[in-house]
Structure formats: C-alpha cells, structure tokens
Amino acid sequence: MNKLTYIYRSLVTAAIVTIFIAASSCKKFLDVVPSELVTSDQVWGNINNANGVLANLYSKMPGSLADGWTDEICAATDECYHHWGAGFYPLYYNTGAWNAANNPYDIWADAYQKIRQCNLFLENIDNVPVPENQQSYYATVLPRYKAEARVLRAFFYFDLFRRYGAVPVLTRSYAASEASEMQMPRTPVDSVVNFIARECEEAAELLPVSYADGDLGRISKGGALALATRTLAYAASPLFNGNPLYKDIKNPDGTPLFSQMADKEKWKRAADEAQKVLNLNLYTLNTVAGDPINSYSRVFNTRNWDEIIIAKQQNNSKNIENECLPYGGWFGGWGKYSILQEFVDAYEMNNGYPINDPSSGYDSVGTWSGDIFGADGYSENVHFDNISKMYKNRDPRFYATVTFQGSKWAIGHTANTPVWMSWWGSNGGTSQGWPKSTGTYPVSGYNPRKWISPDVDMLNYWTSPDAKRNDPVIRLPEIYLIYAEALNEYNQGPTAEAFNAINKVRARVNMPALPIIADDNTLAGFRARVQNENRVEFAFESHRFWDVRRWLIGTIVDNGPVHGLNARPTTQELQSSGFDVNSKEAGLSVFYKRVVIQTRVFQPKHYLFPIPQTEIEVNHQLVQNYGW
C-alpha cells in the first residue's frame, strides 16, 4: 500500500470491495453471509455481485443489536453497569478514560468506507451489464436501489453527525491519485443536517410504501422519512441548536461549524417531518389484547413488524439469552449487565405518577404478594410472593424489561419459580444472578429481561428453539415522541396534538393519559415527561447514550455515583441480620439497601466525540471538537 493511500485510508481505499453475496431466495435478502473478495471489475461487471454490495450496506446499518448480541453502549450510560471487569468498552466512558487517540466507539474511518461503498454503488450501478431476459425487471428496480443506497448513505452520515457534529460530506468516490483533494474541511452542522434530510426526502419519492414478505427489511418511503425525522430532532436539540460551548469551533478559513442562534423553527421542521410519517398510516403499535406487558415485550422477543419502520432482521439465535439471563439455578445465562437503581426508579406507577410524587402511592418498605397478568413472558397470570413493594403497581414496561428479586420466568422448568438476585449460600456467597465462574457477578440486584425470548431454554441449549426477532432500528413510538417533543419545544408548552402523540405510546401499555400533574402542562414539565417516556420505551435499544447528549443532561445523569441494591453484603451485615450467614434469609434481610455501584465521570467535552487524532494529523483542514 503506498503512503498516500495509507494516509487517506478513511476516505480513499484501493479498488477492492468486500461484498456479501445475497442468498438466492428473496426471503433471505438481509440474511447474508460473506462469500468472496472480488475486484471492482468483478463487482460492477456482474449484476448479482452489484446487488451484493447493496445487501452488504444494509448489514452495516447502525442498529440496536450487534450481530445478534445487545449493544454494550447501554452500559456506557445510566441504564446499567457492565460488570464483567476491566477492558470492556463502557468502562472507559463510565470513568472518562477516553480521548482522541483512544475512543472505543469511534467510527470515523469505518463510516467513510461505508459511505465510499454507497458512492461507488451510485456511480456504477447504472452501467452494470444486465442479462437481456432481466432488463425489464432491472429497469424498474434500479431507481429504487439507488434511492435505498442514498438513504443508507444518509444513515451513515447521521451516525457520524450524532458523534462528531460537523463532518466532511462526500458525495462521490475518490481515488488514491486524488489524494491532494482530500485536504477537506468539516461541513457545518446545519449543512450536514440539510444534506441528510434532503437525501431522505428525495429518496422517499422513489421508494414504495411497503414491501412483500420477501423484501421485508428494505428501506421504504416511511423509513426514509423516519430517518429524516430523527436527524431533524437531533439538530433541533440543545446540543446542536445554539450551543455556546461550540462558538469557537471554526474551520481554518473562519467558517463557524456550529450555529450560535437557537432557532425554534428547527423544532417545527422536525414536527412537520414526523407528521409526514404519521400521515402514511402504515404502522400500528403492537398490541396483545388485555396484556400490556406482552404488547410491549413481543416487539423484541418475536419477529414482529407491526410498528417497525426500519429493521435489521436478525438470524435466529440464543445469543441474547446467553448474554443476559441470570446464571444460577434454572437459567444458565451469563448475566452480563447490572441494571442501575436510577433506571428502575424512572418507571412511573401505573397510575401515571412518578414515584417521587406524593400522590403516586409508591412504597419501598415491606413486601407484597399478588398476581400480574403477562409478567412471565406469556399471556398468563403469575403470582408473586413476598416481593418488595417497590415493584408493585409499576408501568407494565418495567415487568417486561427488568428481572428483579422474586420475579419469575416462563420456561417449563422455571415456571412459578422466583429468581433469587440477593446473596445467599456458602463459599463466599452466591445467587442466581451470578454469571459463570470465569466472570464477575451482577452487583446491583437486577438483570435485563427485555429482548429475552421465553421460548429459549439455556439448560437445554441444543433442543430449545432459537429466538426469532428483529433489530428495530426505528419504531413508530420514536416518531410519536419526536412529534410530541417538537411541538412542545416549538410552542413553548404542550399542545393537544403533543398530548395525543405521547398518549398513544402510553396507551399501548395501559398507562394513563397525560396531563396528570400540574407540571405536565408546562414547557419544562412536559419536556421531562417526554424525556422519561423515551427512557423507558427505548430501554436497551441504544437510544439513551445519544439522548442524554442531545438534551445536554449528561453532566447530570452520567456524572457522579450510580446505585444498585446491596447484592454483595459484607460478612458483618449478614451477621447482624440475626440469621445464619449462609441462609437466603440473611442475604434478603440486608438486600434492599441502596449502595453505590460506581462513581462516574461526564465532562462537558464528552457531549461530542473528538475527531480522531490520526485524521487530524493527515488532514490539516480538520479542526478538533470542544475540550479535546
């Protein structure tokens, strides 16, 4: 590889493209596997290979899952703690130990290689030879393919934008011989946003409103407009809309990269874009009659398309169950994440009041016994005995998202058996929350439940069915909540349409309609409701990490001590309980005490990622982000 090609590696690559050849069945459009490394002549000289480039680009679309596993970014924010020990990426963000030379979630070079592949596809697809007997077919679908590629390119730019803000926008491919042209400055944020939105809106005019089963997963008209909606909502948010932190970030020629004028019209534009998606009337919130818990949970543990606007279809697997189920007893998982008490506390009571409101009825003292319909993953009654009152009468999404002390699961041999998350037993203590002996243990007293299929039995791994699920990249509730948020911000308070939008999301799980408390009728009060609704609706879907940044609340929620329950009590605590220190009773008696799990660091510079130092060293037109 020559020096110039190496220097400009993120924007200029050799004329070799790694492609994934799509399977012959159209039903397997997104179920692709690596086949071969081919040259550019081979790619653009064969229509099937060219189709494989597009399929490969789909496989690289940013989503909520990573190759069938959960995205660990959920532990880099206030949802949970990754307790497997040192070296895992979220710990760098928890402690502030990341920088321009060591940023685990940096995507700069990778994103520009994806963008280059999109540009190559758009530049070459019209000239690919097509067999005579297929020409009429491709005359119809090639314009659509190009529209899909434009939206995918826009998605890769959105992924760059939410990380770095202003980034260079390239709309054609560059060869190594054009290296001198790659001294390219960053494009101002407003121009990046306008490019993404325009690409999506223009592509939407060429995309169908829906696809037959064999093409499910391709980007539709609604998908293009939904990506534009998300982009415009980010652009209207405080991080990018008049943020004074970024007033001095300018290109070498003096061009400001971040507008310093807070413009509420950006919220109007986001609301209008969301309205376009809603006006299509193509998507419905998944609902299981009379069962709000499974109305929500089945979006994630089945291959459900009702409310999915953009999805990455996942191969059938047990990966997430393996990763997130408790280890001990009847469960056999690895117990990867410790959910934080702050996240548990975000769930309202089922009367719609936040738990800190005097009218909520919340009580964390003592125990409760009773029935919950659908709480085991299926539409069946589950009886709870002597569980903490803090888990009584909560938002139904809580029971679909969190495994807590005394909760139950659905697999045959675990039915009606409570999960023990508190300490008990000898040899240094144990619990069903523990993962395998080579790992560490959940330190908060909670495991994730969302995504996990009740059909998967980890103790009968080879005979138990695999889970079948989608990766819901954009769902209908996001559009409703963006619409509600944008109307509230634009009108400086909630309107009837804003209440209607957020209440559609709440109604799916039988949560009472807003307004409920006086603050709900104010700008700040409704904003708090929308932000919390996002937090619980999109838990563990890779939203929260970015939301706390676009709302500029990271220094509040991701900074300082975070808490769990006392799942690892000291010997002295167990002895003082009055029970045998090796008994479940001893562990449970000291379990419900909030303890600090970790003290986290979030500084103002962490709102945006640094431009990678390697890129600044070779492209002298790039200027660094604030604080780095």
Side-chain angles (χ1 to χ4, degrees), residues 527-554:
R527 178 188 296 150
R529 285 286 196 166
V530 170
Q531 291 183 358
N532 199 68
E533 197 70 24
N534 274 275
R535 186 178 189 182
V536 300
E537 175 68 27
F538 300 112
F540 306 110
E541 293 182 59
S542 306
H543 280 239
R544 181 67 175 173
F545 182 89
W546 306 110
D547 281 344
V548 302
R549 285 164 167 75
R550 73 178 180 94
W551 293 327
L552 289 180
I553 62 173

Side-chain angles (χ1 to χ4, degrees), residues 239-287:
L239 177 62
F240 297 111
N241 194 0
N243 186 346
L245 282 179
Y246 304 145
K247 62 183 176 62
D248 295 326
I249 304 178
K250 300 177 182 180
N251 278 333
D253 66 0
T255 301
L257 295 180
F258 297 82
S259 173
Q260 291 301 293
M261 181 180 295
D263 183 3
K264 74 171 189 175
E265 292 300 319
K266 292 180 178 179
W267 285 114
K268 176 66 163 55
R269 188 179 176 191
D272 290 345
E273 201 74 25
Q275 187 69 69
K276 292 178 187 177
V277 181
L278 298 176
N279 285 346
L280 294 174
N281 292 316
L282 294 173
Y283 313 100
T284 59
L285 294 172
N286 182 64
T287 302

Side-chain angles (χ1 to χ4, degrees), residues 349 351-362 516-519 529:
M349 302 298 285
N351 59 15
Y353 286 89
I355 66 170
N356 60 0
D357 190 285
S359 299
S360 69
Y362 175 76
I516 293 172
I517 58 179
D519 282 354
R529 285 286 196 166

Side-chain angles (χ1 to χ4, degrees), residues 69-192:
W69 303 86
T70 58
D71 188 344
E72 292 182 354
I73 207 168
C74 65
T77 188
D78 61 347
E79 291 180 329
C80 62
Y81 170 63
H82 194 311
H83 55 250
W84 280 3
F88 289 94
Y89 291 164
L91 300 180
Y92 291 92
Y93 297 89
N94 297 158
T95 60
W98 56 290
N99 53 54
N102 179 27
N103 178 5
Y105 293 138
D106 166 56
I107 64 161
W108 187 281
D110 182 63
Y112 276 110
Q113 295 217 8
K114 296 173 186 174
I115 289 165
R116 174 175 165 79
Q117 288 189 25
C118 290
N119 288 336
L120 286 168
F121 182 87
L122 291 167
E123 291 163 4
N124 288 283
I125 190 63
D126 283 333
N127 297 319
V128 176
V130 175
E132 186 174 350
N133 63 350
Q134 298 180 38
Q135 287 183 359
S136 61
Y137 169 77
Y138 278 103
T140 301
V141 301
L142 284 184
R144 191 194 81 203
Y145 285 0
K146 290 190 289 185
E148 293 173 52
R150 289 177 69 182
V151 178
L152 287 166
R153 182 176 63 179
F155 214 139
F156 300 139
Y157 272 116
F158 167 78
D159 209 14
L160 285 164
F161 156 65
R162 67 178 173 181
R163 282 171 163 81
Y164 309 99
V167 296
V169 173
L170 289 75
T171 57
R172 70 173 181 89
S173 64
Y174 289 79
S177 60
E178 299 177 284
S180 61
E181 298 185 37
M182 301 313 300
Q183 291 288 323
M184 185 177 295
R186 298 168 67 183
T187 303
V189 160
D190 286 349
S191 297
V192 175

